[in-house]
Amino acid sequence: MQSFRSELENPLVAKEIIDLEKKIRAFREGKIHDEKFRSLRLARGIYGQRQPGVQMVRIKIPFGKITFKQILKIADVSDEYASKNLHFTTRQDIQIHYVSLDRTPELWAKLAEDDITIREACSNTVRNVTASCTAGIDPAEPFDVSAYAHGFFKYFLGNPVSMELGRKFKFGFSSSEEDTAFSFIHDIGFIPKVKYENGEEIRGFKVLLGGSLGAQPYIGQLVTDFMHEDLIIPFSEAVLRVFDRYGERTNRNKARLKFLLNKVGFEEFLKMVEEERVSTKVKTYKIDTSVIDTPNIPEPVEITVEIPAYKQLAYEMWSATNVFQQKQEGFYGVFVKVKTGDMSTEKVRKFVEAVRPLIADEMRVTINQGLLLKYVRKEALPALYLILDELGLSEPGHNSVADVTTCPGTDTCNLGISNSMELSRVLEALVHEEYEDFVYNKEIKIKISGCMNSCGQHGIAHIGFHGSSMKVNGKIMPTVQVLLGGGAVGNGEGRAADKIIKVPSKRAPQVLRTILDDYRIKGESFGSFLNYYDGLGKDYFYQLLKPIADQETVTDEDFIDWGQNEDFVRAIGVGECAGVVIDLVATLIFETEEKYGWALEAYDQQLWSDAIYHAYNTLVSGAKAVLLDKGISQSTQIGIIKAFDEHSAAEFDVDGFENLVLQINKYEPSQEFAEAYLAQARDFLEKVKSFRGRTEQVG
């Protein structure tokens, strides 16, 4: 490995990359436990693949905004370090695959040259902040939410409040009441609102809390119809602080915010958040809306391109489904469908070179795994279409029935049960070949996940599938669980899909045909797909699809998954979406010292709030080490604090450990309190280290 000190101007990024390099070396030398190292690399966007010995690297693309230079840099990095492919995700990230662990620091340094990060793209952190891809050009938006999404990204990246949560945490910003960013599936979701006082426009947001997909989808609950723009970051920080302290940390299946809300009650949780706000870093926070400039727009050029007659119908369909007029007069946004979210680096370069003269130097990765091109002049649309057509990127039907969302499934994911990528290609082809009228239908969304965890968002699909399996005639058969009736209603309201029936994976096209055929006949009288589903009822669809699930009619073909040639084998690895809980006392004490070191660094930089929070984590981590040394385990930070008082406070000569630790939410962050709190954390750390030394000698 090489040193990166001279490669980067940002000293913090350089320090983090060097630290990753050191930790990889320590791991290779057996100095860091493999489970602990897993959590370290996940926090840096490095995720173990299904294939042994290689990694997926997730690259954060805040709210999907990416320039020509950045996407070309990622293509260069994928060529040098990965598989010469970019994968666009439903959270507007870009993933690259088959990366050697030892080369990840070098890879990160290359990306950082163009202000691209992999930090906190995985693990128990604030994940990529998403937003409607049309933000800034959406004719229906009250104002552009891009700067607010960017402000959240900057504020919480590397923030001690969100670096090591009990589970991942997600923010999402929709551009309008259409709610195209699905605010209701986020831990905190935002929809822009304006009101007027004395003739002055005041910006704010409708705020929803506790949404999530996964195996148990939850629809976010309303906090308020209007929160002033300057209060959304302080509120969100307070939520994170309460979640960090009281959230589950042992059972990852019960560790999302939604479970804590169920445990303590929604109103009680909001009360806890309000009490926490005294100790937040800021009481109001003005987000700088000037950071999002109008991108560089190409000058108008005389274009004489005409669409050939044999392509005219295809062009008209593309124009009707993939093109819309921006709020900026004279300009159009153009959606590019990217099959399964995958684009080779060779195609990326050809694409950028060809479209550069016709579009603004700012694209957006969409939540349905494509790209949005901006500021296209009307006269340039035919030329742009022909360019995209030559590259195989002109398929119509963006965000329609023919635009199927999918996760990677068994292609690369440890948790994948079935091949969702190939199934999505099959279903898209079916719609184009047999149901061309549905290419214009932007109401019905088909979404596929390779397992129940909903990375492909099947939990909110109008028509959804997730990978599963069952034993039939003594053999394991790949199946899909069919779900119906989910989707966005608008203005923060959403629906979780109902599980209907499980069918052989190879019969998923038959399921889709049956539903679309029935909807053609009966749907018009209901006015919408959701009304159609509600009107006929869940049992109607169970009975409709039941013949497709008949095990008496299975054939040898049903035992072979999509894209495979041999009988299905259910092979699931260890999931890595969350960090791993490490109950090794020595490792915990090492972590405790590291956290105290971070507290001192923050104090030296006069970051009083950060120093205080690192000191808080020092106290909790040290107490956890002591308890585990005694065989006492707790699944929440508040549980650790209370258990230490019960079992160890007297032994450590600590009069009220809970009172000591929870000073954190009783005082405003100040130099005086930071100095006192750090001194208490230092004294406690020394006692923990001394205690550990005594117990090791006894052992």
Side-chain angles (χ1 to χ4, degrees):
M1 298 182 198
Q2 66 185 79
S3 172
F4 309 104
R5 287 177 173 80
S6 61
E7 288 195 44
L8 303 169
E9 295 181 4
N10 186 329
L12 176 62
V13 175
K15 180 177 179 294
E16 291 170 345
I17 294 171
I18 293 164
D19 183 60
L20 174 61
E21 180 187 6
K22 289 178 179 177
K23 284 183 165 63
I24 292 173
R25 186 179 296 116
F27 169 67
R28 294 297 192 201
E29 294 171 355
K31 296 177 181 177
I32 298 180
H33 191 278
D34 57 350
E35 291 296 296
K36 173 59 185 173
F37 182 72
R38 184 189 303 180
S39 66
L40 289 170
R41 62 173 166 76
L42 283 169
R44 291 155 178 83
I46 304 164
Y47 189 106
Q49 282 187 203
R50 190 181 191 89
Q51 297 79 8
V54 291
Q55 318 294 317
M56 175 272 282
V57 173
R58 182 176 293 151
I59 301 166
K60 264 188 171 180
I61 311 294
F63 59 98
K65 177 180 176 287
I66 192 164
T67 64
F68 295 144
K69 185 178 182 182
Q70 287 175 323
I71 199 169
L72 290 174
K73 171 55 71 75
I74 296 172
D76 289 345
V77 164
S78 184
D79 276 352
E80 186 172 355
Y81 301 94
S83 60
K84 301 185 178 182
N85 185 72
L86 308 189
H87 178 71
F88 305 121
T89 80
T90 57
R91 290 206 60 79
Q92 299 176 293
D93 294 303
I94 295 178
Q95 294 177 174
I96 57 177
H97 294 83
Y98 297 92
V99 178
S100 165
L101 175 63
D102 292 331
R103 302 190 74 191
T104 52
E106 184 180 337
L107 176 157
W108 188 358
K110 295 278 189 182
L111 291 173
E113 292 170 353
D114 287 305
D115 198 25
I116 307 168
T117 189
I118 62 176
R119 183 174 182 177
E120 295 163 25
C122 304
S123 194
N124 301 325
T125 60
V126 168
R127 298 292 185 86
N128 196 34
V129 180
T130 62
S132 298
C133 62
T134 55
I137 64 173
D138 184 351
E141 68 184 20
F143 55 86
D144 184 4
V145 301
S146 302
Y148 299 87
H150 181 267
F152 267 66
F153 162 70
K154 296 292 286 185
Y155 188 86
F156 289 108
L157 185 71
N159 191 316
V161 170
S162 54
M163 286 171 58
E164 201 174 53
L165 299 166
R167 196 72 166 86
K168 59 189 174 184
F169 200 96
K170 298 177 179 179
F171 294 110
F173 287 82
S174 279
S175 60
S176 72
E177 290 185 1
E178 190 179 349
D179 202 8
T180 54
F182 304 143
S183 64
F184 57 89
I185 67 168
H186 289 81
D187 292 285
I188 307 182
F190 300 96
I191 300 173
K193 301 287 180 180
V194 294
K195 63 181 183 179
Y196 295 88
E197 292 182 4
N198 300 321
E200 180 184 356
E201 180 184 284
I202 300 174
R203 291 183 176 187
F205 291 86
K206 183 175 187 176
V207 181
L208 298 115
L209 181 70
S212 167
L213 291 179
Q216 299 179 55
Y218 277 63
I219 302 302
Q221 299 180 63
L222 178 67
V223 175
T224 178
D225 284 312
F226 189 90
M227 183 178 290
H228 192 279
E229 61 178 339
D230 295 350
L231 298 179
I232 57 175
I233 276 185
F235 169 77
S236 299
E237 181 183 337
V239 169
L240 281 162
R241 291 166 73 102
V242 175
F243 175 55
D244 192 29
R245 190 170 307 134
Y246 291 90
E248 171 68 34
R249 289 175 175 268
T250 301
N251 182 356
R252 66 181 295 271
N253 294 319
K254 298 291 183 182
R256 291 296 298 272
L257 176 63
K258 59 189 176 185
F259 297 110
L260 179 57
L261 291 176
N262 282 347
K263 180 179 177 181
V264 304
F266 191 74
E267 294 303 324
E268 179 62 25
F269 182 84
L270 291 181
K271 181 181 176 183
M272 294 162 71
V273 169
E274 188 60 33
E275 292 171 350
E276 193 71 26
R277 291 176 75 160
V278 67
S279 57
T280 55
K281 184 184 298 188
V282 291
K283 303 303 174 282
T284 64
Y285 187 90
K286 187 70 175 176
I287 290 173
D288 183 3
T289 56
S290 68
V291 297
I292 305 298
D293 296 324
T294 300
N296 293 326
I297 303 169
E299 294 296 324
V301 294
E302 186 175 341
I303 300 174
T304 57
V305 170
E306 292 187 6
I307 302 295
Y310 73 96
K311 289 184 181 290
Q312 189 64 41
L313 287 177
Y315 173 71
E316 291 173 1
M317 179 178 280
W318 174 82
S319 298
T321 60
N322 292 29
V323 179
F324 70 97
Q325 191 166 345
Q326 297 181 190
K327 71 178 186 181
Q328 293 83 5
E329 187 176 352
F331 291 103
Y332 290 79
V334 175
F335 289 105
V336 177
K337 283 184 61 184
V338 180
K339 279 190 177 295
T340 66
D342 287 317
M343 189 182 291
S344 71
T345 55
E346 179 183 11
K347 184 174 288 189
V348 168
R349 291 190 183 87
K350 290 179 179 177
F351 165 76
V352 170
E353 183 64 25
V355 303
R356 190 191 293 268
L358 304 178
I359 72 171
D361 184 9
E362 185 208 293
M363 299 174 287
R364 299 284 174 100
V365 179
T366 71
I367 62 171
N368 51 355
Q369 304 172 285
L371 292 170
L372 170 61
L373 316 182
K374 303 165 67 175
Y375 290 93
V376 184
R377 301 177 193 276
K378 186 174 183 178
E379 59 270 22
L381 288 171
L384 180 60
Y385 170 77
L386 292 176
I387 287 169
L388 295 175
D389 191 55
E390 186 175 343
L391 292 170
L393 295 172
S394 65
E395 188 172 278
H398 162 78
N399 204 33
S400 73
V401 180
D403 193 0
V404 178
T405 302
T406 180
C407 72
T410 51
D411 276 27
T412 55
C413 179
N414 271 325
L415 292 178
I417 297 173
S418 64
N419 191 328
S420 51
M421 301 271 273
E422 182 60 24
L423 176 56
S424 74
R425 287 187 277 263
V426 169
L427 295 186
E428 284 193 356
L430 183 152
V431 174
H432 280 286
E433 293 167 9
E434 301 179 27
Y435 298 88
E436 191 172 67
D437 53 320
F438 278 94
V439 175
Y440 295 94
N441 183 309
K442 291 181 177 286
E443 179 206 3
I444 302 170
K445 306 298 186 293
I446 302 173
K447 298 175 182 288
I448 308 171
S449 300
C451 71
M452 74 288 295
N453 285 314
S454 210
C455 294
Q457 300 178 340
H458 68 264
I460 55 166
H462 294 78
I463 304 172
F465 303 90
H466 82 65
S468 188
S469 64
M470 65 169 61
K471 184 171 283 190
V472 179
N473 300 332
K475 296 169 63 178
I476 301 296
M477 181 174 68
T479 64
V480 287
Q481 174 69 57
V482 181
L483 302 96
L484 297 173
V489 178
N491 201 24
E493 296 182 32
R495 297 167 46 129
D498 291 332
K499 292 181 179 179
I500 305 299
I501 198 169
K502 191 181 288 189
V503 304
S505 292
K506 282 295 181 68
R507 300 185 185 186
Q510 192 176 343
V511 168
L512 184 57
R513 286 190 186 96
T514 301
I515 294 170
L516 294 183
D517 287 344
D518 193 71
Y519 185 62
R520 269 179 170 169
I521 297 168
K522 301 175 180 175
E524 188 173 344
S525 63
F526 290 98
S528 73
F529 186 87
L530 293 181
N531 287 341
Y532 156 74
Y533 175 74
D534 291 342
L536 294 175
K538 180 177 177 179
D539 187 63
Y540 170 83
F541 291 95
Y542 173 78
Q543 298 299 333
L544 181 69
L545 301 177
K546 188 176 178 181
I548 302 174
D550 186 0
Q551 295 185 14
E552 298 298 321
T553 61
V554 298
T555 66
D556 290 343
E557 180 69 13
D558 289 319
F559 290 93
I560 302 174
D561 198 10
W562 291 104
Q564 304 299 313
N565 298 314
E566 299 177 353
D567 280 0
F568 176 73
V569 176
R570 191 175 191 272
I572 305 175
V574 177
E576 294 196 334
C577 280
V580 181
V581 178
I582 310 302
D583 289 348
L584 302 173
V585 177
T587 301
L588 272 174
I589 293 176
F590 170 79
E591 286 181 358
T592 304
E593 291 183 280
E594 188 173 43
K595 288 167 183 173
Y596 182 68
W598 295 339
L600 292 178
E601 288 180 11
Y603 182 85
D604 289 342
Q605 296 171 44
Q606 300 184 8
L607 301 173
W608 314 130
S609 180
D610 288 3
I612 291 164
Y613 210 85
H614 284 310
Y616 162 78
N617 279 322
T618 300
L619 292 163
V620 174
S621 182
K624 182 178 181 181
V626 171
L627 291 172
L628 288 174
D629 196 62
K630 297 181 175 184
I632 302 168
S633 180
Q634 292 290 323
S635 63
T636 64
Q637 288 187 342
I638 194 67
I640 291 168
I641 294 165
K642 291 179 179 295
F644 188 88
D645 256 340
E646 180 182 352
H647 298 284
S648 300
E651 183 180 359
F652 277 71
D653 194 26
V654 176
D655 183 16
F657 186 67
E658 182 175 355
N659 292 333
L660 165 64
V661 178
L662 295 188
Q663 291 179 89
I664 189 171
N665 65 353
K666 302 296 189 295
Y667 296 94
E668 297 265 356
S670 64
Q671 180 178 5
E672 182 181 10
F673 177 56
E675 189 172 329
Y677 200 56
L678 261 68
Q680 292 167 321
R682 180 196 62 223
D683 292 345
F684 183 69
L685 173 59
E686 291 304 318
K687 290 178 180 179
V688 169
K689 290 163 65 177
S690 175
F691 168 81
R692 179 59 173 167
R694 293 197 307 271
T695 58
E696 284 179 339
Q697 289 174 7
V698 171

